[in-house]
Amino acid sequence: MMEQFSRKQFVKRLVVLFTTLSLFGGESEIIGKEPKKEEKLIPIPDGEKPVSENDPTAQALGFHHNAKETDFILFPERKLPQSKNQVCLQCAQFTKLNDGWGKCTILTSGVVSNMGWCSAWSKKS
């Protein structure tokens, strides 16, 4: 016969399990998160500053320097497989400055990441 646990015992065991897994680096497989990869940082071009994601225009367009941070509730079309390559680097509004940054004709208050996204994205021809 299987031993029955109180809620308190169950929660304690669950906390111990997740704590143990996190100590051994196994939480990414259990919780479903991908392990963090080291990102190569590309310097911002001299005299430029990145567009603030808190800029009113950027917020209205759902802009993020990392397209993976898109609010999928507000922009569910970003979840579609055909949207995976929708990043600033592939946008008609974007002009590349270096391997990590460029200028946008919509978000003009600074530079945007090549891997960014906003709802004004349109495919380069």
Side-chain angles (χ1 to χ4, degrees):
M1 193 161 129
M2 204 168 173
E3 182 181 352
Q4 295 221 343
F5 298 107
S6 68
R7 276 188 225 174
K8 189 174 183 178
Q9 290 171 317
F10 175 76
V11 171
K12 281 182 181 179
R13 288 186 181 202
L14 195 60
V15 168
V16 169
L17 173 67
F18 278 104
T19 303
T20 304
L21 289 173
S22 67
L23 290 174
F24 293 104
E27 80 278 359
S28 60
E29 290 83 18
I30 299 298
I31 299 174
K33 295 180 183 175
E34 290 190 28
K36 289 186 178 180
K37 298 173 188 166
E38 286 191 33
E39 294 181 15
K40 183 178 162 188
L41 297 175
I42 308 290
I44 298 170
D46 289 337
E48 298 289 350
K49 63 180 173 109
V51 170
S52 170
E53 293 179 0
N54 294 324
D55 175 83
T57 304
Q59 284 186 328
L61 295 172
F63 173 75
H64 286 283
H65 285 287
N66 181 346
K68 293 177 184 175
E69 295 176 8
T70 300
D71 184 340
F72 295 113
I73 294 171
L74 291 175
F75 304 101
E77 67 278 6
R78 280 286 297 140
K79 282 186 175 182
L80 302 174
Q82 63 267 30
S83 300
K84 71 178 182 176
N85 292 326
Q86 288 185 4
V87 293
C88 292
L89 186 61
Q90 305 297 327
C91 180
Q93 313 298 328
F94 182 81
T95 305
K96 183 177 175 179
L97 294 177
N98 68 15
D99 288 338
W101 301 92
K103 288 285 200 175
C104 175
T105 59
I106 305 291
L107 300 170
T108 58
S109 62
V111 293
V112 296
S113 167
N114 289 356
M115 299 310 294
W117 181 86
C118 80
S119 62
W121 186 90
S122 59
K123 186 177 180 178
K124 279 186 180 177
S125 53

